[in-house]
Amino acid sequence: MAHPNTRRLIVIIIASLLAALFLLFAVINIIVLLSAQSRIVDIEEAKALGSFDCILVLGAGVWRNNRPSHVLEDRLKIGIEAYCAGVSDKLLMSGDHGRNNYDEVNVMKSFAMDCGIPSENIFMDHAGFSTYESMYRARDVFSAHRVLIVTQKFHMYRALYIANALGLEAYGLTSDLREYANATYSQLRESLARVKDFFMVIFKPLPTYLGEVLPVNGNGNVTND
């Protein structure tokens, strides 16, 4: 049986490690939040910043593989509003199309086309499996350098942090048009994701797919499938 002093020392070491991990978690979240705050803009401010290579709408869940969830629908509405305001003449829809029976990006493009946006002005990134991969591929596959990111505010900080760490000149347009289900869970999950991606941009692993370069200043129909 361990001596009481040994047990006390083990407890102190474990408590100290947990405190250090919590402090690291908190510091990383603060760094991500503060670094991105000044790059969140509204549509008028985005217009004043000059032309963007594209409006980058980040994917989210779809229902029955044919309808955007509330989170995604609001991102699309704001992205389309920015497009119609003349912020950029290209939309880049980046999401998960890794399976035949799950397709975020075609749902996103169909929604935009139903709002009157020409197909050739809408690019689809079928391999935007994560925020990190969406940013990496926007730069390396779609040759975007100056992007306006559209997502909800809780997610925007991380998206901007990653984009700027990867060398993109990125600004963010938030899309919080309603209250969302499971908001507390989403905030907690996002806090953990900030820590993960803080280290991702240090090591910069390759995304799942890269492939052919498809410059976003071309014709979006090249990304149709």
Side-chain angles (χ1 to χ4, degrees):
M1 182 178 295
H3 191 277
N5 288 339
T6 302
R7 291 199 300 271
R8 191 176 301 115
L9 179 60
I10 291 171
V11 169
I12 291 171
I13 290 172
I14 291 173
S16 299
L17 288 173
L18 290 174
L21 286 172
F22 179 80
L23 180 61
L24 178 64
F25 174 90
V27 168
I28 288 173
N29 268 269
I30 290 169
I31 288 171
V32 172
L33 292 171
L34 292 179
S35 70
Q37 182 64 54
S38 65
R39 289 183 173 266
I40 298 176
V41 297
D42 60 27
I43 287 182
E44 291 304 314
E45 289 169 333
K47 288 172 64 177
L49 288 167
S51 179
F52 286 85
D53 295 332
C54 66
I55 297 162
L56 174 53
V57 182
L58 297 178
V62 294
W63 292 330
R64 297 187 178 180
N65 216 33
N66 62 11
R67 189 159 65 94
S69 62
H70 290 155
V71 168
L72 183 56
E73 181 180 346
D74 290 350
R75 294 179 189 181
L76 291 165
K77 286 180 177 178
I78 295 298
I80 291 164
E81 184 179 349
Y83 173 94
C84 293
V87 173
S88 176
D89 62 355
K90 300 293 182 181
L91 285 165
L92 174 55
M93 308 299 196
S94 184
D96 184 350
H97 186 193
R99 309 183 300 279
N100 290 332
N101 62 349
Y102 187 78
D103 181 355
E104 293 176 0
V105 291
N106 273 289
V107 171
M108 295 165 77
K109 180 162 186 171
S110 294
F111 187 98
M113 289 177 63
D114 288 345
C115 292
I117 298 179
S119 175
E120 60 267 24
N121 291 343
I122 308 168
F123 281 74
M124 291 184 289
D125 176 6
H126 298 267
F129 301 132
S130 67
T131 308
Y132 173 82
E133 291 185 277
S134 291
M135 300 306 157
Y136 201 117
R137 285 174 53 82
R139 184 193 69 184
D140 285 24
V141 174
F142 297 97
S143 300
H145 303 289
R146 197 165 194 263
V147 301
L148 181 68
I149 300 166
V150 179
T151 188
Q152 278 74 20
K153 191 170 185 178
F154 77 92
H155 182 213
M156 183 64 76
Y157 299 102
R158 178 164 59 101
L160 284 170
Y161 184 82
I162 295 168
N164 288 294
L166 292 178
L168 293 168
E169 184 183 352
Y171 292 85
L173 184 62
T174 57
S175 58
D176 300 89
L177 300 181
R178 68 186 95 191
E179 296 292 327
Y180 302 104
N182 302 315
T184 302
Y185 169 78
S186 295
Q187 290 283 2
L188 176 58
R189 180 177 177 275
E190 186 62 22
S191 297
L192 295 170
R194 289 178 194 138
V195 176
K196 171 183 69 72
D197 283 337
F198 178 87
F199 291 102
M200 288 282 279
V201 299
I202 292 173
F203 297 104
K204 295 181 174 64
L206 291 173
T208 306
Y209 299 109
L210 277 175
E212 180 184 0
V213 175
L214 305 167
V216 76
N217 61 359
N219 189 322
N221 287 330
V222 299
T223 62
N224 291 351
D225 63 349

